[in-house]
Amino acid sequence: MVTLKFTLTPEASASIHGALLCLARFSDTVSLEAKDDSLTFSALNLSKSAHAAVALDTPFFSAYEFEAEGGHLDSRFTCCMSNKALLSVFKSRNNDAKSSNITERCEVSFQEDDDEAKCRMIARNICSNGVIKTFRLTYESAEIMQALFDRDLAENKWAIRAGFLKENLAYFSQKVEQLDIFYEEGKMTFLSFTAKVVSAKNGVLPVNNHRISLLTNAEILKMPLKTTVILNGGDFEKLSVQEQLHIVVSVKDFRAVVLHAESIDTVLHAYYTSPGRPLQFAYNKGSMNCQFTLTTAGEYRGTTIQPAPVGAATRHRSESERASKPPPSRAKVMPPPPAPSGRRNTKTLGKRRPSAPDRSAETSRDNQDEPLFVPMENDDRNWDPPSYDNAEESLGWDASEETESLFSRQIREQEARAAAAATKRKEEVPETGPDESQEASISLSPTQRLSDIPRLW
Amino acid sequence: MRFKANIQNIITFTRFTASLSSLGPFAWVRLDENDIRFTVIPEQGTQVWSVLQIDSVFESYLIESAADNVINLEVPLQGLHRALKSAVNATAASIRLTKRDGLPMLCLTINTTSVGNIAMQTADDSFAAMMDTEDGERGMNIDFTNNARERETIITQDIPIRVLSSNSVDGLHEPRTREPDVNIELPSLMQLKAISDRFTRLALVSKASASSVSGATSVGPRLELSANMHGCLRIRIDTDAMNINSTWTGLTNPRLDPSAIEGGEAALQNHPTEIMRQQGDAKGDSEEGWAKVFIDGRDWSKVMSVGRVGGRVIACFCNDHALILYVYMNTGNDDGSDRSVLTYYISSYSN
């Protein structure tokens, strides 16, 4: 019988929410792995080229209880579930000043009912004023993939404040795909480029001298910008990298990593050996340890011969280990349910289905307080041609729509009432004489539909 | 073929490219020893022909080519604008023509110093030093001078371009129009844009409700723009449902320079603008003396985007024929003699 229960402070919930947002950039589903001393959220992307894991050590939780089936020491509990569903559980609503329901803590427990086919995670957000919001999410037990990576064997390492990287990330064009990272003459270079370009006539083409003639002129000009950001070695916290070693990762993944690392204000570490072997980005904040293992491409472009690997035998072993990405993962048979704590209480108030976060407030139009004619602020965007396509702007005044609909509803109600009356009378017709039915028709309301009238005769 | 320059007025250049990119995706850029010309000729709508004085955006300008030191390029405006935008906080920026993997590129090199980046360890140290001793300056001196030198970041943006042969641009000529009937200096473009955008919206909405009855029509909303030689400008929409107009009065009608006109002072007397000056009045009440054009509301809005570069705008109305706008850029370092000008050619629709 497996017991997995933990309690989170609002800050910890928010941290998990942030981490889940980051994992969502890799995959829609998130895998959970519980151990004695940690709980890990992880995501593997569809092409299995990137594995992201966020491990939370027990100090992260206000309370953490895990008891494996049969009480084995190194046993684990694994499952996977929808990232979106989890996000709504941990979404903090405490920033909303209007809300009086401040979440005080979040209690999560896992249960599997043998009788039912559903595995459930039950999260209770205990708020002020005695409000309890209960989320019941289904999960499925699953084998989870793990990326093995031995940092000690990585020859190239660097570390930099994530905030600094994020500043520079803004320079990369949105459309670029690849990021080449290399070290040269005391400077670290991040080069974003596009390896393929879509041609209307010839489909997807790799960008190189020979194929470029197949592109039309307009297609050449539409290629995304190639951006290079060169950082001084001194900007790094730690830098020990082989010169001229080009390592290429996906910009999308890199962006996801940097944005999350920046959001928790930490130092980002990178570990890698050589192109073609995995690269790992890692950072931690308190009891949260994040690891992103990415496949790489690239080449060594130095003039000198690549230094012979030290200890080839051991290296070989470790490489094969690292190269095979999805190694030991065992499916755990889901154990019987742990009795969720305080289950009775959930019936009192907070028995609500997890609802999608209310986004209407966020998406409210930002030009609500727009002056009548001339925009006040000196914003450069004011000069852009407006998009006339949105149907928001309409003639008339705001109230009109509402009164109109109210009016039409009244009409419809009257019609319905009249129709009901008509059918009622129609039913009565056989019982009463024809004279009386004629009398009834006289008393019909003037909103009677013409189509209803013939039925009366 | 060589082209290299330092960009000295990044904000101006960025705004300039933003204005152009609202008209079309690509620009023909002609670089020579005297000036830089950006021309946008979209498939439909307004053309813009602009001349930038070299020193209004560049310094240490170097150009060399086999064709009399003239270089013709086709440049994606979005890309150029994006690249320039990453240079807004730059301490220095330069641009040069180069080749990468066989492809011609405009390479923008940007030096920037990052404000936020003090290596964490040293920041903590200096903080500790400040806390430990009252003499915080000592700690600051050591760490910050050291970091200031190292914090510089270099960014390069490669913009894919096409080099045009002189043959391919020989056929491009600036439009020729007849002498204008009215010259007038436009009011604040922010005002004009806001009102014409509002009018265009109204026209679109009234049309949408009308077309639901009578079937859709393909023409865009038409704005009627007119001006007289007594400082009046009027903008109007006239649809089945409504007729709205806004009139500005008290604007300036710049005088023509006799030396710029064939025939000099004598010819000036017979110039269409002088004839128009004899009609109309300063309040704009009279129906006489107006030169008017019909323009596409959406297209006009794209033109109005040029307001971001600032500066004086002179509109020349050729009645029922065309509207030409001369936008004199505020480059900050002009002394009034040689200025950078954007010329917009907007043709009038018949109504």
Side-chain angles (χ1 to χ4, degrees):
Chain A
M1 166 151 168
V2 159
T3 313
L4 174 59
K5 284 189 250 180
F6 55 87
T7 307
L8 300 162
T9 59
E11 292 76 31
S13 287
S15 299
I16 292 184
H17 186 259
L20 287 172
L21 277 180
C22 175
L23 295 184
R25 290 167 183 265
F26 293 90
S27 169
D28 290 339
T29 53
V30 58
S31 305
L32 263 83
E33 181 186 9
K35 282 197 251 177
D36 263 350
D37 56 347
S38 68
L39 178 70
T40 306
F41 293 86
S42 62
L44 180 70
N45 70 359
L46 273 181
S47 58
K48 297 190 177 174
S49 63
H51 179 267
V54 178
L56 307 168
D57 292 342
T58 42
F60 182 85
F61 306 94
S62 333
Y64 182 81
E65 193 185 331
F66 174 68
E67 202 175 295
E69 196 177 12
H72 295 301
L73 275 178
D74 57 345
S75 49
R76 308 175 306 157
F77 161 67
T78 57
C79 68
C80 68
M81 57 208 303
S82 150
N83 193 320
K84 258 190 193 160
L86 267 182
L87 273 174
S88 61
V89 172
F90 296 112
K91 185 176 167 56
S92 164
R93 291 169 182 89
N94 287 0
N95 292 334
D96 189 358
K98 281 177 230 157
S99 163
S100 56
N101 289 336
I102 307 284
T103 308
E104 285 167 351
R105 65 180 194 277
C106 175
E107 293 177 0
V108 182
S109 63
F110 283 73
Q111 66 162 188
E112 183 182 67
D113 202 328
D114 272 343
D115 303 331
E116 291 176 39
K118 283 175 183 167
C119 312
R120 282 213 162 121
M121 175 189 125
I122 298 170
R124 301 169 67 230
N125 276 328
I126 293 143
C127 308
S128 56
N129 302 330
V131 175
I132 299 171
K133 298 175 183 164
T134 305
F135 296 85
R136 290 163 191 278
L137 311 184
T138 52
Y139 62 80
E140 47 185 303
S141 59
E143 289 184 35
I144 64 170
M145 303 283 219
Q146 279 184 332
L148 282 197
F149 190 90
D150 189 348
R151 287 184 202 170
D152 295 334
L153 292 166
E155 290 149 1
N156 301 292
K157 299 171 192 179
W158 49 264
I160 191 165
R161 255 189 63 225
F164 183 49
L165 265 192
K166 191 204 161 193
E167 269 177 48
N168 291 305
L169 206 59
Y171 300 119
F172 296 131
S173 161
Q174 289 294 327
K175 282 182 281 179
V176 291
E177 298 149 1
Q178 311 275 321
L179 182 70
D180 183 0
I181 304 169
F182 60 93
Y183 181 71
E184 197 174 45
E185 292 166 4
K187 288 178 161 59
M188 198 69 179
T189 301
F190 295 82
L191 165 71
S192 76
F193 66 99
T194 310
K196 289 190 173 72
V197 61
V198 179
S199 156
K201 221 191 316 177
N202 299 295
V204 178
L205 293 175
V207 175
N208 61 39
N209 303 357
H210 313 294
R211 299 297 186 85
I212 220 74
S213 55
L214 296 176
L215 293 173
T216 65
N217 295 326
E219 282 160 354
I220 291 178
L221 295 179
K222 276 178 188 157
M223 277 163 43
L225 299 185
K226 200 168 168 181
T227 308
T228 319
V229 174
I230 301 169
L231 304 179
N232 278 303
D235 288 333
F236 286 77
E237 307 288 321
K238 190 172 78 183
L239 185 63
S240 149
V241 193
Q242 191 185 356
E243 287 232 2
Q244 290 290 344
L245 181 72
H246 290 253
I247 194 129
V248 178
V249 294
S250 144
V251 173
K252 193 171 146 272
D253 297 342
F254 183 71
R255 194 173 264 138
V257 173
V258 173
L259 289 181
H260 181 241
E262 191 271 342
S263 72
I264 61 172
D265 189 23
T266 180
V267 175
L268 177 71
H269 294 260
Y271 304 91
Y272 53 95
T273 314
S274 58
R277 306 240 172 277
L279 169 147
Q280 186 165 73
F281 288 116
Y283 50 87
N284 60 321
K285 179 89 177 182
S287 312
M288 180 188 266
N289 296 300
C290 306
Q291 292 183 356
F292 299 84
T293 313
L294 314 176
T295 52
T296 64
E299 57 184 321
Y300 176 72
R301 290 188 206 160
T303 44
T304 55
I305 303 156
Q306 200 166 357
V310 217
T314 49
R315 192 186 149 95
H316 179 73
R317 186 174 51 83
S318 63
E319 270 172 4
S320 60
E321 248 177 37
R322 268 173 286 159
S324 61
K325 270 222 157 163
S329 56
R330 289 183 299 275
K332 286 271 170 193
V333 180
M334 241 330 270
S341 62
R343 198 182 170 185
R344 284 161 300 155
N345 295 354
T346 58
K347 289 181 181 168
T348 52
L349 250 180
K351 193 163 184 177
R352 259 176 38 178
R353 296 189 63 80
S355 57
D358 181 20
R359 290 187 184 276
S360 60
E362 291 168 17
T363 52
S364 67
R365 294 173 61 211
D366 49 356
N367 53 352
Q368 263 176 347
D369 301 326
E370 179 189 327
L372 183 57
F373 284 124
V374 184
M376 305 295 261
E377 48 194 322
N378 192 14
D379 187 344
D380 200 47
R381 270 174 301 174
N382 287 335
W383 292 110
D384 291 330
S387 84
Y388 294 108
D389 299 329
N390 58 346
E392 295 285 315
E393 187 93 9
S394 62
L395 273 180
W397 41 90
D398 292 348
S400 64
E401 214 177 316
E402 212 176 307
T403 36
E404 251 176 52
S405 64
L406 193 67
F407 181 55
S408 59
R409 206 188 311 139
Q410 277 174 346
I411 292 177
R412 241 176 282 129
E413 272 170 16
Q414 280 178 0
E415 277 176 3
R417 227 177 290 142
T423 37
K424 204 177 167 192
R425 277 180 211 110
K426 200 178 169 187
E427 281 164 10
E428 286 164 2
V429 166
E431 292 166 25
T432 57
D435 296 344
E436 279 165 80
S437 76
Q438 208 169 357
E439 261 173 51
S441 73
I442 294 164
S443 66
L444 282 179
S445 75
T447 51
Q448 173 72 26
R449 269 195 203 145
L450 271 176
S451 57
D452 288 337
I453 296 171
R455 266 189 264 154
L456 287 171
W457 305 99
Chain B
M1 193 179 286
R2 281 177 66 187
F3 163 62
K4 207 167 96 179
N6 292 335
I7 306 174
Q8 59 144 343
N9 212 332
I10 293 162
I11 306 280
T12 306
F13 199 19
T14 311
R15 288 183 180 160
F16 172 78
T17 53
S19 304
L20 294 190
S21 70
S22 64
L23 285 181
F26 310 118
W28 161 38
V29 180
R30 183 183 185 277
L31 303 153
D32 67 24
E33 288 165 316
N34 304 314
D35 52 30
I36 310 136
R37 289 159 192 265
F38 277 78
T39 304
V40 182
I41 307 176
E43 282 179 25
Q44 219 179 4
T46 298
Q47 299 189 4
V48 57
W49 292 68
S50 54
V51 182
L52 281 180
Q53 299 301 318
I54 289 167
D55 57 7
S56 67
V57 285
F58 294 135
E59 60 185 10
S60 328
Y61 180 87
L62 181 94
I63 187 157
E64 273 174 27
S65 88
D68 295 332
N69 296 342
V70 176
I71 298 178
N72 287 294
L73 305 173
E74 190 175 6
V75 176
L77 286 165
Q78 287 285 357
L80 178 62
H81 179 233
R82 209 200 135 72
L84 285 167
K85 251 170 53 182
S86 56
V88 281
N89 297 319
T91 49
S94 65
I95 192 164
R96 73 193 155 87
L97 191 62
T98 180
K99 245 182 190 187
R100 294 275 156 87
D101 304 328
L103 284 176
M105 299 269 177
L106 267 183
C107 175
L108 195 68
T109 307
I110 301 151
N111 292 48
T112 131
T113 47
S114 167
V115 196
N117 186 50
I118 302 159
M120 257 185 160
Q121 194 58 46
T122 42
D124 287 349
D125 285 349
S126 69
F127 186 65
M130 281 168 72
M131 298 305 283
D132 286 345
T133 63
E134 285 299 307
D135 182 27
E137 266 183 43
R138 193 165 47 105
M140 304 249 313
N141 278 343
I142 297 163
D143 291 323
F144 281 83
T145 47
N146 188 25
N147 273 316
R149 184 170 42 82
E150 289 177 339
R151 259 181 288 159
E152 182 152 277
T153 303
I154 301 161
I155 300 144
T156 63
Q157 299 273 24
D158 289 346
I159 307 148
I161 52 151
R162 223 154 60 88
V163 176
L164 302 175
S165 67
S166 59
N167 292 339
S168 62
V169 295
D170 274 349
L172 297 172
H173 294 291
E174 199 157 345
R176 291 183 62 157
T177 51
R178 60 180 167 85
E179 287 295 314
D181 301 304
V182 169
N183 300 324
I184 194 163
E185 183 171 343
L186 292 184
S188 146
L189 286 203
M190 182 56 102
Q191 228 178 58
L192 191 56
K193 178 175 168 17
I195 289 176
S196 44
D197 284 353
R198 181 64 56 132
F199 277 23
T200 304
R201 277 215 173 89
L202 286 170
L204 274 170
V205 171
S206 74
K207 196 207 297 252
S209 51
S211 65
S212 62
V213 184
S214 65
T217 45
S218 58
V219 241
R222 296 272 183 273
L223 293 177
E224 180 190 320
L225 223 68
S226 48
N228 69 12
M229 283 303 285
H230 299 274
C232 299
L233 172 78
R234 180 181 290 162
I235 178 166
R236 186 165 100 146
I237 49 165
D238 190 358
T239 69
D240 294 343
M242 65 190 135
N243 177 351
I244 314 173
N245 70 64
S246 279
T247 308
W248 282 262
T249 54
L251 303 173
T252 319
N253 296 103
R255 290 212 165 255
L256 292 169
D257 181 3
S259 63
I261 293 177
E262 216 177 309
E265 193 71 44
L268 187 59
Q269 294 306 318
N270 297 322
H271 193 269
T273 55
E274 291 305 317
I275 296 161
M276 289 297 269
R277 197 186 292 279
Q278 287 152 24
Q279 303 169 28
D281 61 286
K283 283 187 177 169
D285 293 337
S286 161
E287 284 303 306
E288 304 265 289
W290 292 92
K292 68 171 189 298
V293 289
F294 293 95
I295 55 180
D296 181 277
R298 292 169 195 258
D299 187 49
W300 177 246
S301 189
K302 293 177 188 169
V303 172
M304 284 292 98
S305 152
V306 77
R308 68 182 100 212
V309 303
R312 237 155 56 102
V313 183
I314 311 285
C316 296
F317 285 78
C318 303
N319 192 27
D320 282 335
H321 176 59
L323 176 66
I324 302 129
L325 297 189
Y326 296 94
V327 181
Y328 297 91
M329 272 172 72
N330 264 346
T331 48
N333 58 348
D334 57 347
D335 51 359
S337 55
D338 56 347
R339 292 213 254 181
S340 302
V341 189
L342 293 93
T343 311
Y344 285 83
Y345 293 93
I346 309 156
S347 50
S348 172
Y349 289 91
S350 57
N351 207 41

